[in-house]
Amino acid sequence: MQEKVTFNIDKNKNFSEWYTEIVKRAELADLRYNIKGFLVFQPFSVLTMENMYSLYEKKLQEKGHLPYWYPAVIPESNFLKEKEHVKGFSPDVFWVTSYGDNQKLEEPLALRPTSETAFYQMFSLWIRSYKDLPFKTYQRAQVWRYETKATRPFIRSREFYWIEAHDAFSSLEEAEAQVKEDMETTKEMLHDEFGIPFIFFKRPQWDKFAGAVNTYAADTLMPDGKVIQQPSTHLLGQNFSKPFDVKFKDKNGEDKYCFITCYGPAISRIFASLISIHGDDNGLIFPFKIAPFQIVIVPVLIKGKEKEVLKKAKDLQKKLAEKFRVYLDLREENMGEKFYHWEMKGIPIRLELGPKEAKSSEVTLFRRDTRKKEKVKLKDLVKKIEKVGEELTKNLIKKADDEFKNSIINVKNFSELKKINGKFVRVNFCSIDKDGEKCAEKIEKETELTVRGIRSDVKEKASGKCIVCNKEAKEVVYLAKPY
Ligand SMILES: [Zn+2]
């Protein structure tokens, strides 16, 4: 075997370098597209995100959501209807204002930064009676936001890929129950399928979605200890149903406004957490179910004996493709290079097939997470792959959970906050209503942390004083350093 050029970057020590390099060398995205903040997603990220989309959409459909495809543009008149929403999103919106030879459009069109103002205009036409409710919808779509902060591939860019679910109900209680369901869905997908641990927070009033009554968001940590927001769910109450006239006739024939919720898992951003949390110093590791290819077959071709090896490799590919996503690597590279390439790309299982194996009834199986090799009898291979795939995914989830367990630090003094670099910081805090905003501003100004909110999975009782203003603490809040 020739000398290997391995990836070999210490992920936990040099995460920023690891991330930049893996995006480039594993060919996940190309940043050289000539508009700032926009990038080209390459096959390995697209194939994986397709699998993530498919699992997520299946789950939403199981829970009664139906898919729609809305236009990418929203008329200005829709966009301006809800005041808080306009205030929050205006700075980010791309506008389409002309066509052809600089002819003005009759009305400026927003490239959707999010689609509340598109969905609810149609809700007002579709929803008539209590019998139409609950009305649960979603779409998979790209959205565009003019981000001014530094962009990073998959983490923050001016175009991203997500799902947005929009649901209408006849009562506040049902809408609140939907918010809970969205949190459960997040657990079932992010944690149980993708292996990403997180904490769900109720966001402070000053940090909620523009136009929402309340916002709940899942935060996870990257290997450098910085926090990244994952899916959020918003109780919109009647804030949008009133300006958009989303009404229904109740059982007594009276007109009532709907209660609305929306939920937004950003697939491209979840992908960022997925690769960062599971990768190691040798590159990516994909969970088995969503890997772009689950198995790669690498035939070891030795002069004079290629023919029988190739035949066996092709037969094996054909057989395995009935159950799995399989890639047969016939590139003209040396073995070392091929092994390194697929390890770096995170393919869960590699099968090596040489002249010896071609004659015998065995194949060598390499498993990406443990990097161990073993001989497997061909007749047991399918079962073995299923077992290894399952074990590998479980192993990734457990490893991620174990690391996440130690991610909360308790801090009592404000001065200590200035020294903290990463992880969740748990502090006593005066209030997440309007009154606490000044204290949050001070934290943001004098430390690198932001207030993420109070936990929505467990009730925590505050005792003592607010870490900033020294008034009586009403809440236990979590702080973290964002991207
Ligand atoms: Zn305070």
Side-chain angles (χ1 to χ4, degrees):
M1 204 194 290
Q2 292 185 20
E3 200 187 335
K4 283 204 265 182
V5 191
T6 50
F7 183 73
N8 202 14
I9 297 175
D10 190 326
K11 186 185 86 173
N12 290 327
K13 253 196 201 146
N14 307 311
F15 176 67
S16 183
E17 184 198 349
W18 184 93
Y19 192 84
T20 307
E21 281 299 307
I22 202 67
V23 167
K24 196 161 130 195
R25 283 164 68 180
E27 296 172 304
L28 302 177
D30 199 320
L31 281 55
R32 293 172 299 176
Y33 189 68
N34 51 347
I35 310 178
K36 205 175 159 225
F38 288 80
L39 45 98
V40 178
F41 288 13
Q42 289 170 285
F44 253 56
S45 57
V46 174
L47 288 169
T48 310
M49 284 191 272
E50 282 287 356
N51 297 329
M52 293 164 74
Y53 261 126
S54 143
L55 285 173
Y56 228 117
E57 290 186 72
K58 192 165 162 261
K59 180 66 77 185
L60 287 172
Q61 289 182 20
E62 275 168 21
K63 297 187 180 193
H65 296 84
L66 287 174
Y68 288 76
W69 287 357
Y70 272 73
V73 284
I74 300 175
E76 187 184 38
S77 51
N78 280 25
F79 185 73
L80 296 179
K81 271 186 183 163
E82 207 290 322
K83 283 198 186 77
E84 290 299 318
H85 191 70
V86 178
K87 216 162 63 184
F89 276 99
S90 279
D92 300 339
V93 177
F94 286 95
W95 289 101
V96 181
T97 53
S98 64
Y99 70 98
D101 192 12
N102 223 2
Q103 319 266 24
K104 279 256 169 296
L105 286 176
E106 256 171 56
E107 182 179 6
L109 306 174
L111 271 181
R112 63 176 168 231
T114 176
S115 308
E116 284 70 20
T117 59
F119 272 73
Y120 308 149
Q121 191 241 320
M122 296 310 290
F123 277 20
S124 74
L125 302 172
W126 293 334
I127 297 170
R128 285 280 159 263
S129 136
Y130 70 93
K131 292 176 200 158
D132 299 324
L133 300 172
F135 196 78
K136 295 173 68 161
T137 72
Y138 78 90
Q139 75 169 341
R140 57 179 288 180
Q142 281 140 284
V143 288
W144 298 271
R145 295 178 188 174
Y146 193 88
E147 294 286 352
T148 47
K149 284 190 194 168
T151 57
R152 292 209 82 184
F154 307 110
I155 295 173
R156 183 186 297 114
S157 51
R158 288 178 178 164
E159 175 178 47
F160 61 92
Y161 290 73
W162 77 348
I163 293 171
E164 48 182 316
H166 296 273
D167 303 337
F169 301 91
S170 54
S171 71
L172 177 63
E173 291 71 33
E174 284 173 278
E176 284 170 342
Q178 183 59 45
V179 167
K180 287 216 174 81
E181 184 189 288
D182 295 339
M183 291 193 211
E184 262 171 47
T185 303
T186 307
K187 188 199 164 277
E188 289 158 5
M189 299 311 302
L190 249 74
H191 181 267
D192 303 350
E193 290 287 4
F194 307 151
I196 301 169
F198 59 83
I199 302 177
F200 238 109
F201 292 107
K202 181 183 181 187
R203 290 279 189 249
Q205 282 299 303
W206 57 86
D207 191 27
K208 60 187 186 183
F209 177 79
V213 177
N214 277 315
T215 282
Y216 303 82
D219 280 342
T220 189
L221 294 175
M222 293 295 249
D224 56 2
K226 282 190 196 165
V227 75
I228 175 167
Q229 173 172 312
Q230 288 298 353
S232 51
T233 168
H234 314 285
L235 179 69
L236 303 180
Q238 294 177 318
N239 289 357
F240 284 83
S241 56
K242 285 180 180 167
F244 282 91
D245 205 32
V246 184
K247 279 191 298 208
F248 67 99
K249 284 210 189 303
D250 71 4
K251 284 185 179 159
N252 305 317
E254 265 178 63
D255 280 333
K256 296 266 169 71
Y257 286 106
C258 288
F259 292 85
I260 296 180
T261 64
C262 61
Y263 172 54
I267 297 297
S268 46
R269 187 180 259 205
I270 297 171
F271 181 79
S273 287
L274 180 99
I275 58 171
S276 305
I277 288 171
H278 299 318
D280 64 12
D281 299 354
N282 300 299
L284 301 170
I285 309 178
F286 285 109
F288 191 69
K289 217 193 256 184
I290 54 171
F293 303 119
Q294 296 167 304
I295 303 160
V296 57
I297 302 172
V298 182
V300 182
L301 301 171
I302 293 170
K303 265 216 169 106
K305 293 179 179 166
E306 294 104 328
K307 229 174 150 186
E308 47 186 327
V309 173
L310 267 179
K311 185 180 177 313
K312 195 134 188 190
K314 282 181 181 163
D315 288 349
L316 193 58
Q317 180 198 24
K318 210 171 152 196
K319 188 178 159 220
L320 293 176
E322 288 168 14
K323 277 211 123 161
F324 309 106
R325 293 185 293 277
V326 191
Y327 186 84
L328 174 59
D329 185 358
L330 296 176
R331 295 172 307 143
E332 278 188 32
E333 293 285 352
N334 69 63
M335 283 303 125
E337 159 59 27
K338 284 189 183 185
F339 290 175
Y340 144 71
H341 178 80
W342 297 112
E343 242 179 279
M344 191 254 304
K345 290 240 189 186
I347 301 308
I349 291 172
R350 180 176 81 225
L351 300 175
E352 300 166 17
L353 197 73
K356 252 194 214 156
E357 279 104 345
K359 281 211 177 82
S360 76
S361 56
E362 286 182 332
V363 61
T364 301
L365 183 150
F366 170 87
R367 172 177 162 174
R368 175 61 182 87
D369 60 332
T370 56
R371 303 181 76 215
K372 288 204 171 111
K373 276 188 190 187
E374 62 177 306
K375 297 255 189 227
V376 182
K377 288 210 161 46
L378 284 175
K379 67 174 173 54
D380 302 329
L381 189 59
V382 169
K383 272 218 169 94
K384 180 73 184 176
I385 289 171
E386 279 170 345
K387 191 167 160 250
V388 169
E390 221 169 90
E391 277 174 15
L392 176 141
T393 307
K394 269 194 196 146
N395 186 27
L396 292 181
I397 298 176
K398 188 178 178 299
K399 213 169 127 260
D401 282 346
D402 286 347
E403 274 161 26
F404 196 71
K405 260 183 214 151
N406 306 315
S407 62
I408 299 172
I409 319 166
N410 287 297
V411 171
K412 295 254 186 288
N413 299 312
F414 187 82
S415 59
E416 278 177 59
L417 293 180
K418 295 180 189 177
K419 291 177 235 156
I420 282 166
N421 192 12
K423 298 198 173 186
F424 288 114
V425 185
R426 189 172 173 273
V427 299
N428 286 318
F429 195 75
C430 49
S431 167
I432 60 163
D433 294 331
K434 272 255 164 271
D435 321 343
E437 191 169 1
K438 282 251 145 49
C439 290
E441 277 169 8
K442 190 170 151 92
I443 289 173
E444 272 178 44
K445 224 171 135 191
E446 295 180 25
T447 76
E448 291 183 76
L449 305 165
T450 58
V451 178
R452 311 306 292 181
I454 59 170
R455 284 180 85 131
S456 53
D457 55 342
V458 286
K459 273 228 174 320
E460 294 189 294
K461 233 185 133 194
S463 60
K465 310 283 183 203
C466 169
I467 192 162
V468 186
C469 67
N470 229 14
K471 280 185 202 146
E472 196 197 330
K474 276 194 239 156
E475 313 280 11
V476 176
V477 305
Y478 288 69
L479 317 174
K481 187 176 169 182
Y483 270 93

